[in-house]
Amino acid sequence: MNTFQSRLLLALFIFGLGQPVHAMMDHHGMIMDEKGMIMNANEDKLPRDCPKLAGNIDITIRAGHKQAAKFPGKMFAFDRQQWDVAPCSKINITFVNEDDIRHQLMIHGLPGYLYPDGMFHLELYGKGELKASLIVPSQKKTYLVHCELPQHMEKGMKAQLKVGGGDGDLPSIPGISKPVRADVYPVDWNAPSVALLLFCLLVGAVLPYFVLKIR
């Protein structure tokens, strides 16, 4: 390799490093930049069982810690746990992460000939938003929507997308269906915990007397 070739390769390498990440990682159904990732978005390819597009549906989905406040014992959640759409609809999703940590929005069970591994995937590495679309088939089906990061789904970030009314509810959807295995929080009834319970009962019994006496 001569001097000119070496300098040319060096210049190309430096130029590549200077490009935005999304310009370097837009291939094979994946768009990735410094804030997040989109996989298997579908703007215009109809499923085989859809003769035409039924319409456009715009959905904003918010994810974060504060969304789980309405579910005792949960840490993360989406702002809604169910969406109902017509068959053969194009769903335009705006995914908003309200936390400073990573969250994902994944839809599973889609036809593999349109969505590799049957999956539609949005991911944000922190606060921000992403927009992407998908087109659902005509089959009446309930699709799993969740965050696949470790323990995020178990801690509440799980929902369902029903197409044409769906084919039933998925298990463990917060506020909609019963968990497969309910959380259990056993109490270790040792001497200190028994003493604390008795103390609380005593205070609860005596306190009203003193309040009434003061009045």
Side-chain angles (χ1 to χ4, degrees), residues 65-78:
H65 177 66
K66 76 174 186 179
Q67 309 296 341
K70 56 187 175 182
F71 302 119
K74 300 301 182 182
M75 182 174 291
F76 304 119
F78 300 116

Side-chain angles (χ1 to χ4, degrees), residues 127-138:
K127 287 182 179 178
E129 71 174 47
L130 285 175
K131 295 184 178 183
S133 301
L134 72 154
I135 300 175
V136 295
S138 66

Side-chain angles (χ1 to χ4, degrees), residues 99-121:
D99 288 345
D100 291 319
I101 62 172
R102 290 171 61 197
H103 286 310
Q104 299 172 338
L105 186 149
M106 301 180 70
I107 301 177
H108 289 277
L110 296 163
Y113 62 86
L114 272 183
Y115 305 94
D117 297 320
M119 177 189 69
F120 172 84
H121 177 118

Side-chain angles (χ1 to χ4, degrees), residues 162-182:
K162 288 190 172 183
V163 175
D167 57 353
D169 290 327
L170 300 175
S172 303
I173 303 296
I176 292 178
S177 57
K178 294 182 178 179
V180 174
R181 184 175 62 185

Side-chain angles (χ1 to χ4, degrees), residues 54-128:
N56 280 274
I57 300 174
D58 297 324
I59 296 176
T60 297
I61 301 175
R62 299 181 179 276
H65 177 66
K66 76 174 186 179
Q67 309 296 341
K70 56 187 175 182
F71 302 119
K74 300 301 182 182
M75 182 174 291
F76 304 119
F78 300 116
D79 60 333
R80 290 178 58 185
Q81 282 61 54
Q82 179 172 301
W83 300 270
D84 296 273
V85 301
C88 300
S89 293
K90 179 181 177 182
I91 308 174
N92 305 307
I93 296 178
T94 299
F95 179 48
V96 181
N97 182 357
E98 298 185 342
D99 288 345
D100 291 319
I101 62 172
R102 290 171 61 197
H103 286 310
Q104 299 172 338
L105 186 149
M106 301 180 70
I107 301 177
H108 289 277
L110 296 163
Y113 62 86
L114 272 183
Y115 305 94
D117 297 320
M119 177 189 69
F120 172 84
H121 177 118
L122 297 177
E123 180 172 344
L124 281 161
Y125 308 141
K127 287 182 179 178

